[in-house]
Amino acid sequence: MKINTLRICLFTFVLACFCIFNLNAQSYSIMENNEVVKLSDIEKSDVRNIVNIPNISGYYTLKCDLHTHTVFSDGDVWPDVRVKEAWQHGLDAIAITDHIEYRPHKDMLNGDHNESYKIAKKKGDALGVIVIKGAEVTRSKPLGHLNALFIQDANLLDVKEPLDAINEAVRQDAFILWNHPGWPDNKSTLYPVHEQLIKDKKIHGVEVFNYNEYYPVVFDWCKNYSLAFTANSDIHYLVKEMYGANIRPMTLVFASERSEKGVRDALFAGRTAAYFNGYLAAKTEYLYGLLEASLKIKLINPEKRKVEITNISDISYRMTCGDKLYVFPAGKAIQIEIPKEGKVTVTNCFTGMNEHLAFNVSDINL
Ligand code: ZN
């Protein structure tokens, strides 16, 4: 009885709050008379798209974009627009990574290299989006472009010598992400400078996907050098202009808590997966974890080994076994007879350049 009374009180209180403060979200003011009819619910800016990618055992699966631009470098949007669209697209975290060396709108703006983060962070705090302070060290190949993430002062990266910029970022305990190794010459080359930086633990992750391209050879670098797999938009204009209604590319970060620290710890530990255009690339254990958490198996007929498999995620999985292709569409269930033996290859999940996630049928627990 007491609990019910408490519930009613709480409900009345929440209702009162909505009435008094007209809290944003989907509360619309109604205006309808012969002079004006407001179609308030036409507005969708406060609607967030939920991307269903399950947590894996022991970790939250956080959806992140670790590479974005604003007007404070050569992007077309104000920093808070980046955060709002990230929220709308169901992301947990974004990094603002304006170029240090290329700022074409500089003369029209007030503010130094730290300004875009400040504006974005304010919006992130208002919306519950984790905003990571970053900057893109933008040099020609062989070094190329690298994002310094979780930095304290981006202005200190504005130095003449490229390696001095990297060393300053390392001094600030940054996570260093090597961006688009295959751009702009359509060659993904691991130059001696990168080998040395990796050896010195001054490169911690790499983009296996950037904008609209992926780099198969880089899957092997991640594996061989223990670098974190990432997939990022590197978006300069509106994300929807680029990816339309599709799920934007993202780095899945397996974090022990939903916070900046959680993202940071997971990145340094290499607990990530790159997700782009229906493909995943990661270490075997994380791909297996995602697959296991996504597909729910219900036994229908033990003799025929007939099962119903429900894919609770927004990632469609494609598998081959022998001469058969099995497709598990996002958010749907299918019924199949599981073969008695054979090797299953998950063709949309990469673990290396010529390697896919694979397991034996006998590993499936019916
Ligand atoms: Zn960039």
Side-chain angles (χ1 to χ4, degrees):
M1 197 63 181
K2 270 185 182 166
I3 288 175
N4 274 345
T5 315
L6 191 70
R7 273 191 195 141
I8 291 165
C9 285
L10 201 66
F11 179 73
T12 315
F13 174 72
V14 171
L15 201 68
C17 285
F18 268 86
C19 296
I20 295 164
F21 302 115
N22 185 25
L23 292 176
N24 46 34
Q26 295 313 96
S27 65
Y28 301 113
S29 48
I30 298 168
M31 182 193 254
E32 195 171 331
N33 57 45
N34 286 339
E35 290 164 49
V36 179
V37 176
K38 268 207 197 301
L39 301 176
S40 302
D41 58 343
I42 216 164
E43 193 191 332
K44 297 290 174 261
S45 68
D46 286 332
V47 178
R48 174 167 160 95
N49 186 37
I50 303 300
V51 181
N52 294 302
I53 302 179
N55 296 330
I56 63 171
S57 58
Y59 297 111
Y60 296 103
T61 300
L62 303 184
K63 296 148 212 133
C64 311
D65 189 344
L66 304 175
H67 191 169
T68 70
H69 293 275
T70 78
V71 289
F72 284 85
S73 60
D74 55 346
D76 288 348
V77 310
W78 201 250
D80 63 350
V81 174
R82 280 284 165 258
V83 181
K84 184 72 189 258
E85 62 180 0
W87 179 82
Q88 288 172 327
H89 299 160
L91 295 191
D92 295 287
I94 61 163
I96 301 290
T97 56
D98 280 313
H99 299 286
I100 293 289
E101 296 83 351
Y102 186 50
R103 303 182 77 208
H105 315 305
K106 196 169 123 193
D107 294 343
M108 291 183 280
L109 298 164
N110 282 325
D112 57 17
H113 294 292
N114 295 314
E115 194 64 26
S116 51
Y117 167 76
K118 277 188 214 159
I119 299 166
K121 170 78 169 120
K122 208 169 153 196
K123 189 72 171 176
D125 288 347
L127 291 175
V129 173
I130 299 162
V131 178
I132 296 161
K133 184 169 182 173
E136 184 168 16
V137 175
T138 310
R139 307 292 177 131
S140 22
K141 280 194 168 184
L143 183 67
H145 298 189
L146 296 102
N147 279 351
L149 304 176
F150 309 102
I151 50 173
Q152 282 101 53
D153 186 354
N155 293 326
L156 300 180
L157 307 185
D158 197 355
V159 292
K160 192 165 167 276
E161 289 302 318
L163 290 180
D164 288 348
I166 303 299
N167 285 331
E168 173 56 30
V170 170
R171 196 192 63 77
Q172 294 185 31
D173 292 329
F175 179 91
I176 312 282
L177 177 66
W178 180 9
N179 299 338
H180 44 68
W183 185 90
D185 53 355
N186 289 328
K187 286 191 187 110
S188 299
T189 314
L190 187 82
Y191 290 101
V193 66
H194 303 117
E195 280 180 311
Q196 190 60 49
L197 286 170
I198 291 168
K199 210 170 140 194
D200 295 345
K201 303 217 179 309
K202 293 178 181 176
I203 288 180
H204 310 104
V206 59
E207 287 183 334
V208 302
F209 173 96
N210 171 282
Y211 188 60
N212 68 352
E213 57 188 28
Y214 74 96
Y215 316 108
V217 67
V218 180
F219 301 157
D220 280 355
W221 300 351
C222 289
K223 207 171 59 169
N224 298 338
Y225 298 99
S226 295
L227 301 173
F229 289 75
T230 74
N232 304 304
S233 68
D234 196 0
I235 197 71
H236 286 69
Y237 41 94
L238 287 172
V239 169
K240 279 239 158 160
E241 269 184 77
M242 176 61 195
Y243 303 108
N246 292 341
I247 299 178
R248 61 193 276 177
M250 56 183 75
T251 301
L252 304 177
V253 173
F254 307 112
S256 43
E257 57 181 55
R258 191 187 181 281
S259 68
E260 184 180 328
K261 183 184 180 300
V263 175
R264 187 192 153 84
D265 290 351
L267 283 174
F268 274 108
R271 290 195 308 267
T272 61
Y275 177 48
F276 52 96
N277 206 36
Y279 293 105
L280 285 161
K283 275 186 192 163
T284 302
E285 60 188 292
Y286 302 125
L287 291 177
Y288 202 77
L290 279 172
L291 189 74
E292 214 173 29
S294 301
L295 302 183
K296 303 292 171 195
I297 306 180
K298 189 167 89 183
L299 190 57
I300 305 285
N301 183 331
E303 268 168 43
K304 289 187 172 170
R305 295 171 62 81
K306 190 176 177 185
V307 293
E308 182 170 296
I309 299 182
T310 305
N311 183 355
I312 63 161
S313 81
D314 285 345
I315 305 170
S316 292
Y317 291 95
R318 298 171 70 84
M319 302 181 202
T320 56
C321 184
D323 58 358
K324 283 221 161 98
L325 168 70
Y326 300 88
V327 181
F328 300 89
K332 309 262 190 237
I334 63 159
Q335 292 195 345
I336 55 167
E337 286 177 15
I338 294 190
K340 283 204 173 69
E341 53 191 28
K343 188 179 155 191
V344 181
T345 303
V346 190
T347 58
N348 66 310
C349 290
F350 295 106
T351 55
M353 183 164 67
N354 295 312
E355 287 171 15
H356 294 96
L357 179 67
F359 55 90
N360 289 317
V361 168
S362 53
D363 296 340
I364 302 171
N365 190 2
L366 291 181

